[in-house]
Amino acid sequence: MGAPDAYTRLVHSAIGTELIYGFQKSKQITEAEKANDRGNDLRERGRFNESLEYFDQAIFLSQRFCLPRVNKGISLKNLGRIGEALGVYQQVLNIDPNYKKAWHNMAVALVIAGDIDRAEKSVGKSLEIDPDYEVALRLRHSLGQTL
């Protein structure tokens, strides 16, 4: 089988997983997804420090799987570790500059850090990618109200 077609590359980028011939996921990817899901479960229960271990495991298992990095950033933000969260979001954007959730979450962290100008630019990038992205639209509205 030759190089992946444009659709397969798009799907690969969107889901952040390594595809085998465009159809099967490796066991390593499946384990990364499980670790990410476990981290999400812990994060949703407010167990942010514990969630970081699972997100790190997912990142280790699949370096290009962006979702656990975004989730790790959210946990770091919730722990008040804003600088680290911003660094994690930047890692995601280095992998996939069109990852709207990373741009949005970076904007949220920048608001917390008090950097409203950069937050506006970041939420704007998120909306360039998806003009109908509801959480980014709400954040942009909120930012407009605070000015």
Side-chain angles (χ1 to χ4, degrees), residues 3-55:
D5 61 19
Y7 176 76
T8 301
R9 287 192 307 274
L10 177 65
V11 169
H12 169 82
S13 176
I15 63 175
T17 60
E18 299 166 30
L19 301 177
I20 300 172
Y21 303 118
F23 301 106
Q24 296 178 334
K25 290 188 277 186
S26 71
K27 182 178 180 189
Q28 197 170 17
I29 298 302
T30 302
E31 293 303 314
E33 290 171 336
K34 287 179 186 175
N36 181 66
D37 290 346
R38 178 71 176 131
N40 260 344
D41 180 53
L42 290 166
R43 190 191 76 210
E44 289 170 4
R45 291 191 278 148
R47 295 166 59 183
F48 305 119
N49 280 317
E50 291 174 76
S51 73
L52 293 174
E53 296 174 35
Y54 288 94
F55 296 138

Side-chain angles (χ1 to χ4, degrees), residues 44-95:
E44 289 170 4
R45 291 191 278 148
R47 295 166 59 183
F48 305 119
N49 280 317
E50 291 174 76
S51 73
L52 293 174
E53 296 174 35
Y54 288 94
F55 296 138
D56 284 339
Q57 180 183 5
I59 292 164
F60 175 78
L61 290 169
S62 180
Q63 296 293 309
R64 297 192 55 81
F65 186 20
C66 291
L67 189 56
R69 290 180 196 274
V70 171
N71 291 331
K72 178 180 179 177
I74 294 168
S75 285
L76 289 167
K77 174 190 61 93
N78 289 332
L79 289 167
R81 295 161 58 181
I82 304 304
E84 290 175 76
L86 289 169
V88 171
Y89 298 137
Q90 188 58 58
Q91 290 173 5
V92 173
L93 296 170
N94 290 341
I95 295 167

Side-chain angles (χ1 to χ4, degrees), residues 11 13 20 24 27-28 30 38 62 71 89 98 100 105-106 110 117-118 120-121 123 125-126 130-132 135 144:
V11 169
S13 176
I20 300 172
Q24 296 178 334
K27 182 178 180 189
Q28 197 170 17
T30 302
R38 178 71 176 131
S62 180
N71 291 331
Y89 298 137
N98 292 313
K100 68 183 181 184
N105 282 291
M106 180 177 277
L110 287 165
D117 289 339
R118 283 183 55 209
E120 288 175 335
K121 290 176 186 169
V123 77
K125 289 292 251 178
S126 182
D130 181 355
D132 299 319
V135 293

